[in-house]
Amino acid sequence: MKTALLALLLTATPALAFPVTVPSCNRTVTFDAPPARAIANDVNLIEMMLALGLRDHMVGYTGVSGWKTLDEELRAGIAELPELSAQYPTREVLVGAEPDFFFAGWNYGMKVGGEVTPETLEPLGIKTYELTESCIFVGPKAKSSMQDMYADLLNLGIIFGIEDRAKELVAGYEARLAEITAAVDRTTPLRVFVYDSGEETPFTAGAYAMPTALIEAAGGRNIMDDLDKSWATVAWEPVVERNPEVIVIVNYGDVTADQKIAFLEANPAFANVDAVKNDRYVVLEYVEATPGPRNIRAVEKLVAGFWDK
């Protein structure tokens, strides 16, 4: 009787729902069991893992300190976890940690044609899940939306056998987003430019980058949403011509947000740009501007910056 009862209880456990298969960009990945030795690359992907309570499934992380994007909140979450590589990891670094799972993305730890890709890791026993926002680098996808971030959390929930936890987390984000944006007037979206970096030519967010979704959620329109790319370099001339009413500054690295604003305000070429004339800037931290749990906080900042007078 005890043996039969034990068998019944085991049958009801989530672990026996495996194998599971999830979409990952232009392919699918099948897992026979939840990963036990995971590595995530970049702050936003690490925070997705932490938000889902998966810290104990991780053996390390990569791609944080080399970009100077680690803040106190994240530092506390990954205490005692080793950073295996300051920037993009090599295949040798990953193999040395003996992982069974790599959560990364294209230009978030992997490069098309590089040494670390799902295809090069699979023979080593390392399965890879790709960040949805980054899928544009390996095939067609829809314009960036909040669903990109939600999809990653839900897929991670399936991969790790915590689907209900992931659904609950996403439902909470959706409810909070609805609350934040309930009073937003969408009749005339504000013209918004995303300034990531660069002085001679700016690096900015195109149609497939997360800030486009964040800006739209907050009632604005990315003036570069016709740029058929994710993050890319453009010329200053179209920025001036499209005359943004608000400029979103992405804050990270050696050049601070204040320095970026000072550059804009000191340059005569931008003197007639509405955002510069009216001193209308919203600063987003890197971890807020890239897909992850802090996207909700980012929208809240944008709503305040767009509409609070």
Side-chain angles (χ1 to χ4, degrees):
M1 175 67 86
K2 288 182 179 178
T3 303
L5 179 60
L6 179 60
L8 182 63
L9 290 172
L10 288 174
T11 303
T13 61
L16 294 187
F18 286 83
V20 296
T21 299
V22 298
S24 182
C25 290
N26 56 0
R27 61 195 185 95
T28 58
V29 194
T30 297
F31 296 83
D32 295 324
R37 298 182 59 82
I39 294 172
N41 182 87
D42 216 332
V43 288
N44 51 319
L45 285 77
I46 295 167
E47 288 207 332
M48 286 193 201
M49 297 283 288
L50 297 178
L52 288 166
L54 296 172
R55 162 68 177 77
D56 290 344
H57 288 255
M58 297 178 68
V59 294
Y61 63 93
T62 59
V64 175
S65 65
W67 311 112
K68 298 184 178 177
T69 52
L70 185 64
D71 63 14
E72 290 300 326
E73 186 173 340
L74 181 59
R75 186 176 286 111
I78 56 176
E80 298 179 15
L81 268 182
E83 183 173 35
L84 305 170
S85 177
Q87 295 188 359
Y88 286 15
T90 63
R91 192 164 44 191
E92 182 180 10
V93 163
L94 292 177
V95 170
E98 301 182 345
D100 55 6
F101 179 69
F102 187 42
F103 180 26
W106 301 105
N107 291 6
Y108 290 89
M110 301 187 296
K111 291 182 179 178
V112 175
E115 69 162 303
V116 174
T117 68
E119 290 72 27
T120 64
L121 296 181
E122 182 73 27
L124 304 173
I126 306 171
K127 292 185 180 292
T128 305
Y129 176 73
E130 300 148 276
L131 185 74
T132 298
E133 184 214 40
S134 75
C135 291
I136 189 62
F137 290 99
V138 292
K141 74 178 289 290
K143 186 172 78 167
S144 174
S145 77
M146 298 299 291
Q147 295 304 316
D148 289 349
M149 188 264 287
Y150 298 152
D152 289 329
L153 290 169
L154 293 172
N155 284 334
L156 287 170
I158 294 170
I159 291 167
F160 285 90
I162 53 165
E163 194 170 0
D164 287 347
R165 189 188 307 171
K167 287 179 178 178
E168 183 179 355
L169 184 65
V170 169
Y173 288 156
E174 290 175 325
R176 179 61 182 149
L177 185 67
E179 182 183 352
I180 291 166
T181 60
V184 169
D185 180 0
R186 301 180 183 278
T187 54
T188 308
L190 286 172
R191 301 184 307 276
V192 183
F193 175 65
V194 179
Y195 183 28
D196 178 282
S197 56
E199 293 190 355
E200 186 174 338
T201 54
F203 191 63
T204 190
Y208 303 106
M210 196 66 196
T212 294
L214 303 177
I215 289 165
E216 290 181 357
R221 183 183 67 80
N222 180 1
I223 62 169
M224 291 297 167
D225 67 0
D226 60 344
L227 182 62
D228 195 30
K229 293 185 178 182
S230 179
W231 294 88
T233 298
V234 298
W236 281 114
E237 287 78 8
V239 177
V240 173
E241 289 169 6
R242 297 179 186 194
N243 190 21
E245 297 166 276
V246 181
I247 295 177
V248 172
I249 308 286
V250 184
N251 187 39
Y252 70 102
D254 293 326
V255 182
T256 67
D258 286 343
Q259 289 171 321
K260 292 172 187 177
I261 292 170
F263 162 72
L264 293 170
E265 295 187 340
N267 194 320
F270 310 130
N272 292 319
V273 171
D274 283 351
V276 177
K277 280 195 302 184
N278 298 317
D279 194 32
R280 296 195 67 187
Y281 307 99
V282 180
V283 176
L284 294 183
E285 301 302 320
Y286 174 88
V287 72
E288 295 171 329
T290 50
R294 294 200 220 183
N295 289 160
I296 308 304
R297 185 187 309 179
V299 175
E300 190 167 10
K301 278 189 178 182
L302 293 175
V303 169
F306 290 178
W307 307 110
D308 287 359
K309 303 299 182 183

